[in-house]
Amino acid sequence: MVFLSMQSYPGVMTVTRPYHHGDLPRVLLQAAVTAIEEAGPAALSLRDLARRTGVSHAAPTHHFGDKAGLLTALAVEGFDLLAATLTAAGDDLLDVGVAYVDFAVRHRAHFEVMFRPDLYRADAPEVRAAQERAGAALHTGVATLPPDRAEPGEARTDALAAWSIVHGFATLWLSGALPADVEADPRIAARTVIRRLFPPP
Amino acid sequence: MVFLSMQSYPGVMTVTRPYHHGDLPRVLLQAAVTAIEEAGPAALSLRDLARRTGVSHAAPTHHFGDKAGLLTALAVEGFDLLAATLTAAGDDLLDVGVAYVDFAVRHRAHFEVMFRPDLYRADAPEVRAAQERAGAALHTGVATLPPDRAEPGEARTDALAAWSIVHGFATLWLSGALPADVEADPRIAARTVIRRLFPPP
DNA sequence: GCGCAAATCTTTATGCTGGCAAGATTGGAT
DNA sequence: ATCCAATCTTGCCAGCATAAAGATTTGCGC
């Protein structure tokens, strides 16, 4: 990590900055993740991010335009991260579903922003593209199901049902709405629930 | 509708108020629903509610304490409304599940607040109580399933899977994340998806 | 009716936030 | 060495949440 000089301070010629020049966007996004994990996306404050990262209050605005711009970048990052996670989980639909829930729990801040389109510009082309990449990764898992049922549109229903059940479980888990007697490890509980939808032969 | 006199205005002795005295909390909650449906719960502003209802900016604070207090009341109202809706849907698990999704779509503002505990005081006793009433109504629907499987904890898994799939479908629908080729009527699409989890014998 | 306490609502004030505009500094390209 | 664009700071303004204090209305005992 290199420390670079920073501009004027009263009485001090040079100060240091704990990140490479030009990396402020990434640093701000990381600070946003931390802040959201602490108090939720609704309580996020650009000025608080600036304080956390030691820059002026207007620095975040320069890079992201406005608050919605920052959350848009966070959503894009989240969808890409989700796509990578699902792809890495392999071909087994159970594993993909568990990976979805695991992503939501481990990247809670990203996940909460991603599915709250009133907070960011969900119609931005980079968002749409990232969403499609994540959707394709999810559909890949569904495609591995044995196509023994002949009804048309069955694969689409399977995909929608799989997405719904893992997304629902993840959001219920994150919102703390689940009763206390549910398995403490969300991955184990999720696997049990998903297996109820796609029972082994 | 009775119009009551209002306090001093410069040069005018009495003015009228379009609601019964003491009904301001209910009026404010209704205004909050409208505002949330327009711009989401994150953009809700107490001062905007005051303007919408024609009262001073501090009137909402008097009744609900603060913004979280207002959303707490909205969440309680939502959970009670959900419990009533699920109970009225009957005993068929499919009908109960469709009613859950239908509630989310028709009472979008309540639903969005209910499962966003960072916005209100989710640990308040009246919230817990209302949550349990809604949970009991949901479990009633699951209890009507034929208990032909002998594995222990199966009913709990069924309930969790049912809740997850309807909740996930509802939140995905509300967030606009579903692909465009999904059935336009959420009740029909939801029924198809739920049937995938609980296929008819 | 009368008077008083409580509830209801307004006014005033303070600190924080988002967004805009202008200026200072830095880094890189030529 | 010089210029330019990107980066970041300072200053500013309007809107918001919240608190405190004052004004008005309502309910209630008499």
Side-chain angles (χ1 to χ4, degrees):
Chain A
M1 176 70 70
V2 179
F3 288 72
L4 302 176
S5 67
M6 198 174 171
Q7 72 188 61
S8 65
Y9 257 74
V12 182
M13 295 312 291
T14 59
V15 176
T16 54
R17 192 192 279 139
Y19 56 90
H20 286 84
H21 180 81
D23 279 354
L24 184 55
R26 181 164 298 272
V27 173
L28 286 171
L29 285 179
Q30 180 54 47
V33 167
T34 305
I36 291 174
E37 284 173 353
E38 288 175 6
L44 184 66
S45 148
L46 286 184
R47 293 177 114 95
D48 181 50
L49 289 188
R51 279 190 295 269
R52 285 170 184 263
T53 53
V55 293
S56 76
H57 67 84
T61 303
H62 168 71
H63 290 284
F64 297 103
D66 58 358
K67 191 174 172 178
L70 186 142
L71 293 178
T72 301
L74 200 65
V76 170
E77 192 178 73
F79 279 114
D80 278 334
L81 202 51
L82 175 61
T85 301
L86 296 184
T87 301
D91 285 339
D92 190 310
L93 182 54
L94 262 178
D95 293 333
V96 174
V98 172
Y100 190 99
V101 173
D102 192 47
F103 169 86
V105 173
R106 295 167 67 98
H107 299 92
R108 165 184 197 124
H110 284 94
F111 189 81
E112 289 188 343
V113 172
M114 287 157 62
F115 295 98
R116 208 157 302 181
D118 55 309
L119 293 180
Y120 64 98
R121 279 181 272 278
D123 54 346
E126 68 263 31
V127 174
R128 292 291 183 199
Q131 277 177 346
E132 286 187 14
R133 286 191 288 273
L138 188 64
H139 273 267
T140 301
V142 176
T144 64
L145 278 178
D148 50 4
R149 293 176 306 270
E151 298 182 25
E154 191 76 20
R156 240 180 36 186
T157 297
D158 281 352
L160 192 51
W163 193 10
S164 293
I165 204 166
V166 295
H167 187 79
F169 183 85
T171 52
L172 286 174
W173 181 280
L174 289 182
S175 72
L178 293 181
D181 59 350
V182 178
E183 167 66 42
D185 187 339
R187 289 170 301 182
I188 298 177
R191 187 171 289 271
T192 305
V193 167
I194 302 168
R195 212 198 307 269
R196 179 64 186 79
L197 178 62
F198 298 107
Chain B
M1 177 70 73
V2 178
F3 287 72
L4 302 177
S5 67
M6 198 174 171
Q7 72 189 62
S8 65
Y9 259 74
V12 183
M13 294 313 290
T14 59
V15 176
T16 54
R17 193 191 277 140
Y19 56 89
H20 286 86
H21 181 80
D23 279 355
L24 184 55
R26 181 164 297 272
V27 173
L28 286 171
L29 285 179
Q30 180 53 45
V33 167
T34 305
I36 291 175
E37 284 172 353
E38 289 176 6
L44 184 67
S45 147
L46 287 184
R47 290 177 113 95
D48 182 49
L49 289 189
R51 279 191 295 270
R52 285 170 185 264
T53 53
V55 294
S56 77
H57 68 84
T61 304
H62 168 70
H63 290 283
F64 297 103
D66 58 358
K67 191 173 171 179
L70 185 141
L71 293 179
T72 301
L74 201 64
V76 170
E77 192 178 74
F79 279 114
D80 277 335
L81 203 51
L82 175 60
T85 301
L86 296 184
T87 301
D91 286 340
D92 189 311
L93 181 54
L94 263 178
D95 293 333
V96 174
V98 172
Y100 189 99
V101 173
D102 191 47
F103 170 85
V105 174
R106 295 165 67 97
H107 299 93
R108 166 184 198 124
H110 284 93
F111 189 81
E112 288 188 345
V113 171
M114 285 158 63
F115 295 97
R116 206 157 305 182
D118 56 309
L119 293 180
Y120 64 98
R121 280 180 271 278
D123 53 345
E126 68 263 30
V127 174
R128 293 290 183 199
Q131 277 178 345
E132 287 187 13
R133 283 191 290 273
L138 189 65
H139 274 265
T140 301
V142 177
T144 64
L145 279 178
D148 50 4
R149 296 176 305 269
E151 299 181 26
E154 191 75 19
R156 241 179 36 184
T157 297
D158 282 352
L160 192 51
W163 192 10
S164 293
I165 205 167
V166 294
H167 188 79
F169 183 86
T171 53
L172 287 174
W173 181 278
L174 289 182
S175 72
L178 292 181
D181 59 351
V182 179
E183 167 67 41
D185 187 339
R187 289 169 300 182
I188 297 176
R191 186 171 290 271
T192 304
V193 168
I194 303 168
R195 214 197 307 269
R196 178 65 186 80
L197 178 61
F198 298 106

